[in-house]
Amino acid sequence: MTTLVTNISQLVNVRETPQLLRGKELNDLPVIEEAFLLIEDGFIAGFGKMDAIDPASLKISHQVDAAGQFVLPCWCDSHTHLVFPSSREDEFRDKINGLSYAAIAEKGGGILNSAKKLLASSEDSLFNSAWKRLEEVSKLGTGAIEIKSGYGLSTEGELKMLRVIKKLKERSNLPIKATFLGAHAYPPAFKDDHEGYINEIINEMIPRIAAEQLADFIDVFCEKGFFSPEETEKICRAGLQWGLRPKIHANQLHLSGGTQVGVKLKALSVDHLETMDEAAIQALAGSGTIGTLLPTAAFFLRMPMQPARALIDAGCAIAIASDFNPGSSPSGNMNLVVTMSCIQMKMLPEEAINAATINGACAMDLSAVTGSITVGKMANLIFTKPIPSIAYLPYAFGSNLIDKVMISGGWI
Ligand code: NIG
Ligand code: FE
């Protein structure tokens, strides 16, 4: 099936050879004005200026007139915890009353609260609620997504979560990557036996997950009171032996050393980065590891925002993602993530859109599949309502500016 999209006001993020963008490169967002786009069997087959084609000469099954509209690659959300048993707005009240994320965790809330509920949830109910969230975020323009385990905190619980993610992969048209996050917190049974839990992760969980091919990546919550840099390294090295590349929760609440461990392990990404010093920034800048910033998590926890400017000015490769989870970012709206990156982290609209598309794809190892308008990539596209310029997207933050979303060449 061949679809021709005509009269596109701006075709955004057009790249012949897409690659990870770092530092100043993030500010270059190539566009074609008054463009056409050709889609064949769900993939981008060609594009260019309107005046370069004669639609009558093409064999087309569908034609779409996109006059006044901008077309861009779907958002690539490279960090989510989309599978979870239920919301935690009771903790939201605690937060409003002044309790910190760490204080809520200490009194048995937080990750352990979700873990307790997960234990009692069936695979079916977890799948059904995650499917609804996936539908919601895809209507908001997300066209590729990473999903973590990490509320199981036992071999059976983690396998249950990863099987749910596997089913999401099988049933959805979106490219989905699965990350094993058994090292998200210590379960109550191992409260005083951290080594015992780490041994279970290394000796029981990782081999079974690898045997069932349930994960693409491995993650550790490297944070004071959770997993130390040494423990993070030990767990990630075990994952690497089974082909799981690290994507690490680093430098969220404290200067945890997580960034440096990630760099040492050649992690695909280190994520969060609310709490950075010059040493961590320089370590990241001198590496091939992507820094994934999660501004809605910082916003929700009233943390200082990630130092995006300092990171970009130092030459880092930056992605932005939603961190969709019930505790620190109960929203998977990437439009909001792009807006907050501009307003709160002082990223330029071009930088934020690149960070949410091509660099997000790179942070999931999906840059050959999606993240830019490139021949051969999936036709996963956002069609905006008529807008005056690309900066209008993050600027008009309260409006839904998405007209339609296309996944694999079909409307959703
Ligand atoms: O990325 N910080 C660790 N993990 C999640 C939060 C998980 C939760 O609170 O349920 C995060 O913010
Ligand atoms: Fe997270």
Side-chain angles (χ1 to χ4, degrees):
M1 196 178 88
T2 305
T3 304
L4 177 67
V5 187
T6 56
N7 303 315
I8 303 165
S9 182
Q10 275 193 26
L11 186 59
V12 179
N13 216 351
V14 174
R15 296 178 185 274
E16 260 179 42
T17 46
Q19 58 190 30
L20 180 65
L21 305 172
R22 45 193 324 127
K24 286 192 177 70
E25 293 164 352
L26 276 153
N27 195 14
D28 179 28
L29 184 68
V31 304
I32 300 179
E33 292 184 355
E34 286 308 310
F36 76 90
L37 178 67
L38 197 63
I39 298 158
E40 261 172 32
D41 299 328
F43 294 93
I44 296 170
F47 52 81
K49 295 284 276 184
M50 265 314 284
D51 53 19
I53 51 146
D54 172 14
S57 70
L58 295 166
K59 264 199 169 165
I60 299 159
S61 1
H62 291 284
Q63 191 161 334
V64 177
D65 184 4
Q69 299 184 282
F70 282 40
V71 175
L72 57 154
C74 276
W75 307 128
C76 297
D77 192 353
S78 63
H79 181 136
T80 83
H81 308 250
L82 186 96
V83 176
F84 56 85
S86 57
S87 57
R88 303 211 308 254
E89 63 276 14
D90 41 348
E91 290 173 15
F92 182 56
R93 287 183 185 282
D94 288 343
K95 245 174 236 140
I96 294 168
N97 285 326
L99 257 65
S100 69
Y101 183 75
I104 290 169
E106 263 162 41
K107 69 171 214 180
I111 297 165
L112 293 184
N113 182 355
S114 286
K116 210 185 329 171
K117 288 178 184 150
L118 188 122
L119 204 64
S121 308
S122 69
E123 243 174 81
D124 279 351
S125 75
L126 287 169
F127 174 83
N128 291 337
S129 62
W131 183 260
K132 283 200 190 108
R133 290 178 204 118
L134 194 58
E135 277 186 332
E136 183 197 348
V137 298
S138 56
K139 284 182 190 141
L140 291 166
T142 294
I145 194 165
E146 180 258 18
I147 309 174
K148 299 173 195 296
S149 66
Y151 294 121
L153 306 183
S154 67
T155 305
E156 280 321 307
E158 287 297 305
L159 285 169
K160 174 156 77 174
M161 284 195 79
L162 289 166
R163 286 190 190 119
V164 170
I165 302 172
K166 187 178 180 189
K167 201 157 141 192
L168 292 169
K169 282 188 184 190
E170 287 162 0
R171 304 253 175 112
S172 171
N173 286 336
L174 268 66
I176 297 176
K177 291 280 179 146
T179 300
F180 166 55
L181 176 58
H184 199 188
Y186 290 100
F190 288 95
K191 194 168 167 271
D192 300 314
D193 180 15
H194 289 187
E195 213 186 318
Y197 186 56
I198 292 170
N199 284 340
E200 178 163 339
I201 291 175
I202 292 175
N203 301 325
E204 310 277 334
M205 298 189 198
I206 294 175
R208 287 198 51 192
I209 288 160
E212 288 191 42
Q213 295 186 320
L214 288 173
D216 302 291
F217 306 113
I218 186 163
D219 192 348
V220 176
F221 187 20
C222 184
E223 180 59 53
K224 207 169 146 190
F226 291 82
F227 294 82
S228 70
E230 294 72 28
E231 291 164 339
T232 302
E233 180 168 349
K234 190 171 170 192
I235 295 163
C236 288
R237 286 206 187 280
L240 276 164
Q241 284 191 342
W242 291 90
L244 303 176
R245 194 166 172 200
K247 278 168 74 67
I248 298 174
H249 276 76
N251 293 59
Q252 181 183 13
L253 310 173
H254 298 92
L255 280 173
S256 62
T259 298
Q260 282 89 336
V261 173
V263 166
K264 184 173 169 193
L265 293 165
K266 296 193 168 49
L268 184 54
S269 66
V270 287
D271 302 24
H272 268 290
L273 314 189
E274 283 88 333
T275 315
M276 295 290 274
D277 62 1
E278 197 49 32
I281 292 174
Q282 287 310 324
L284 188 61
S287 78
T289 297
I290 299 166
T292 299
L293 312 181
L294 311 170
T296 47
F299 165 72
F300 191 79
L301 298 183
R302 288 196 209 92
M303 295 271 304
M305 282 286 157
Q306 292 84 352
R309 274 278 47 96
L311 289 160
I312 294 172
D313 294 346
C316 296
I318 294 303
I320 55 177
S322 76
D323 197 17
F324 194 177
N325 78 77
S328 67
S329 180
S331 163
N333 187 342
M334 283 294 287
N335 305 285
L336 188 60
V337 171
V338 171
T339 279
M340 292 197 46
S341 299
C342 295
I343 298 172
Q344 302 287 71
M345 302 201 299
K346 303 198 178 93
M347 288 174 78
L348 292 163
E350 292 77 9
E351 291 173 329
I353 291 168
N354 274 322
T357 54
I358 183 60
N359 276 15
C362 289
M364 293 184 272
D365 202 11
L366 282 174
S367 62
V369 177
T370 189
S372 62
I373 306 294
T374 303
V375 170
K377 285 198 181 186
M378 289 177 82
N380 290 9
L381 307 164
I382 293 172
F383 285 64
T384 70
K385 292 176 183 162
I387 53 172
S389 75
I390 197 67
Y392 192 82
L393 271 189
Y395 158 84
F397 67 92
S399 305
N400 177 8
L401 297 169
I402 295 181
D403 178 40
K404 286 197 210 85
V405 177
M406 180 182 272
I407 301 289
S408 268
W411 301 117
I412 58 156

